[in-house]
Amino acid sequence: MVHLTRRRFGGLMAGSVLAGAVSARPAFAQGANLSFMSFSFAEDPNRPLVQKVLDDFKAQSGIGVDPIGSAWGDMQKNLLLRQRSKTLPTTAQLSERWLPALATLPEIVDLDQAIGRAKLEAAIDPSVLAMAQVGGKTVAIPLITGSIGMLANKEVLEKAGVGDPKTLTEVRAALLAIRDKVPNSVPFAFATKNPNSIPLDFMIMVWTHGGRIIDENGKVLVNSDAGRAAMAVLTGLMKDRLMAPELDRPDSRRLFAQGASGFYIDAPQARSFARSFSGRGDAADAFVLPVTTPVLKAGDTPRSIQWGHLVCAFKGAGMDGADAPGVKWLNHLLSDGVQGSFPPALSALPVTKSAQKLPIVQNDAFFKAWAAATGVPLTNEIGIWSNAPELSTILSEEVQAALLGQKAPDAAIASMQTRMEASMAKRG
């Protein structure tokens, strides 16, 4: 997939991108509210942004949407628990990598039918819409998009006297300088905790070495020269105190924002977290520097991961029929009003062709820098499989075992291969 900012955007579409998709009359019980389960609502910096979207929708439609906050790392578990107890929300925010597993729930709504495939394709670029499709069906709408890549704290690099490293050798030298010149820092805030976070960082490192974890046919390939080399690099960084154990993505964001880390891997939302966690607001933009992921040698292509947030809907009164309030709510999320404000406020890209042409996107220096640094975004090799949670757990356990010295790097990679093959075989 070519990164959004590198494509020629489609023409502006006036008003709601799905105008005419629903009737103006909500067929919903008077006084009843829709519900929206959201991890962004559970994040302190982003809660006001979600609340504004909810408030604007109520002001425009007269329909209330009750927010349900759930931490990002708990969303899948909480949705499955609600499915078993028959208390699923009307709609839920998802990370794009969770969709293949959750799409198997019988309650999930086919939006090709509820909204209309033609209207979705007219509003959203095919490569972005593909994030929301499983088995040829559209079972969610994209909400924000971008890629997962690397960021540098410009102020930390200046304290350490280093520039913008490009190769792994240069990155290692920069990390050593940060360790020695910036006291109490974690030079590279690589994710070393949580099976939702570790696979992304490890995947980029394997790709950097020219390897794969699982190919598009489901063949596990991680036990290779590239996989072993990637693990050896990471264990070396940990041994030299250039990384730290027990770091999840929220920990990395805080370290980075507070000037205690030189580099970490994240989505473009990193800028909004830096603004909040640094306490400096927009002034934090001065130190948030998108950089290319490291390459083995000059001239190699940097890699990043396709990324986005989705919103799916579950069957019920709120989604019953083409004029249902839930469809109006999804329509609202794809309107220029929301797409021109919510994604940019999260330092992410809008998903609709019309919103991508708005000045707030076109004139943003951070988005331009991110596009220049993103390299070639590739599909999340683990997230596309229905057994992705199990694969992520296996990968994370083996990476942690190697980083903590419980297994030799090669042994951890061999075990990862064997366990993943068993998981894929069980999946059928």
Side-chain angles (χ1 to χ4, degrees):
M1 183 204 296
V2 180
H3 195 272
L4 280 176
T5 54
R6 294 186 178 185
R7 286 193 293 271
R8 181 167 53 87
F9 297 138
L12 273 169
M13 301 172 64
S16 171
V17 295
L18 300 181
V22 296
S23 147
R25 179 180 61 83
F28 202 48
Q30 185 174 5
N33 280 3
L34 304 172
S35 57
F36 178 46
M37 192 170 178
S38 165
F39 50 83
S40 290
F41 190 79
E43 297 164 343
D44 290 339
N46 298 327
R47 186 176 299 111
L49 304 176
V50 177
Q51 189 63 56
K52 185 178 187 309
V53 174
L54 302 173
D55 293 344
D56 287 349
F57 178 62
K58 186 169 185 179
Q60 294 171 23
S61 68
I63 301 169
V65 181
D66 292 330
I68 305 169
S70 175
W72 185 83
D74 295 331
M75 276 291 293
Q76 294 180 87
K77 175 186 69 177
N78 288 340
L79 283 171
L80 292 174
L81 289 172
R82 283 175 169 268
Q83 191 258 350
R84 292 169 193 159
S85 63
K86 302 186 184 305
T87 57
L88 280 166
T90 316
T91 54
Q93 181 182 12
L94 308 179
S95 178
E96 92 293 333
R97 75 200 74 151
W98 304 338
L99 189 62
L102 293 173
T104 62
L105 296 181
E107 295 87 353
I108 203 159
V109 173
D110 180 351
L111 298 181
D112 289 332
Q113 300 298 318
I115 292 176
R117 182 68 166 260
K119 292 183 173 65
L120 290 168
E121 290 178 342
I124 303 168
D125 188 278
S127 58
V128 178
L129 186 59
M131 291 193 304
Q133 296 172 328
V134 176
K137 291 183 179 180
T138 307
V139 289
I141 59 165
L143 180 63
I144 64 176
T145 191
S147 62
I148 293 175
M150 185 172 282
L151 297 109
N153 185 312
K154 191 174 180 180
E155 293 175 351
V156 172
L157 267 57
E158 289 171 352
K159 287 180 183 178
V162 299
D164 176 7
K166 302 297 184 184
T167 67
L168 274 175
T169 300
E170 293 170 351
V171 168
R172 182 178 177 80
L175 295 175
L176 288 167
I178 293 169
R179 183 197 66 185
D180 296 339
K181 297 180 182 180
V182 183
N184 303 313
S185 66
V186 178
F188 185 12
F190 189 94
T192 53
K193 177 184 178 181
N194 191 340
N196 285 311
S197 301
I198 292 175
L200 301 177
D201 295 22
F202 182 73
M203 198 178 303
I204 287 177
M205 189 60 68
V206 172
W207 289 346
T208 294
H209 284 83
R212 301 283 301 273
I213 296 178
I214 302 177
D215 70 13
E216 57 276 6
N217 297 315
K219 184 176 181 180
V220 182
L221 300 171
V222 71
N223 191 11
S224 62
D225 289 345
R228 290 186 289 273
M231 187 71 88
V233 166
L234 295 175
T235 54
L237 295 179
M238 181 69 80
K239 180 180 179 181
D240 291 337
R241 296 181 292 109
L242 304 177
M243 289 169 33
E246 295 298 309
L247 284 188
D248 195 2
R249 191 80 67 220
D251 306 312
S252 302
R253 288 167 176 160
R254 290 185 182 278
L255 288 169
F256 181 84
Q258 294 165 8
S261 177
F263 300 91
Y264 88 115
I265 291 171
D266 204 352
Q269 279 184 294
R271 180 174 65 174
S272 62
F273 286 112
R275 288 172 173 176
S276 176
F277 295 150
S278 67
R280 292 162 59 176
D282 292 355
D285 294 3
F287 69 76
V288 181
L289 179 65
V291 296
T292 56
T293 56
V295 295
L296 284 181
K297 61 182 185 301
D300 285 354
T301 302
R303 304 297 186 186
S304 60
I305 303 174
Q306 295 170 357
W307 167 86
H309 293 174
L310 313 172
V311 176
C312 70
F314 298 105
K315 295 174 183 176
M319 294 299 303
D320 188 14
D323 62 347
V327 179
K328 292 179 70 70
W329 164 238
L330 296 178
N331 185 24
H332 178 68
L333 295 177
L334 291 174
S335 67
D336 278 357
V338 172
Q339 284 294 308
S341 59
F342 184 71
L346 289 174
S347 295
L349 290 166
V351 301
T352 61
K353 300 172 187 176
S354 56
Q356 289 162 4
K357 288 186 68 71
L358 296 174
I360 193 172
V361 177
Q362 294 294 317
N363 299 334
D364 192 304
F366 176 79
F367 290 149
K368 292 180 180 178
W370 192 276
T374 199
V376 176
L378 302 176
T379 302
N380 184 325
E381 293 184 340
I382 290 178
I384 63 173
W385 303 104
S386 59
N387 59 329
E390 183 175 41
L391 295 172
S392 297
T393 297
I394 292 169
L395 183 149
S396 298
E397 288 175 351
E398 298 298 343
V399 169
Q400 287 176 308
L403 294 179
L404 296 175
Q406 297 167 347
K407 287 185 179 180
D410 287 2
I413 287 290
S415 179
M416 188 185 300
Q417 173 85 20
T418 300
R419 294 175 65 192
M420 283 188 169
E421 285 178 337
S423 178
M424 294 301 286
K426 181 173 63 176
R427 172 187 171 276

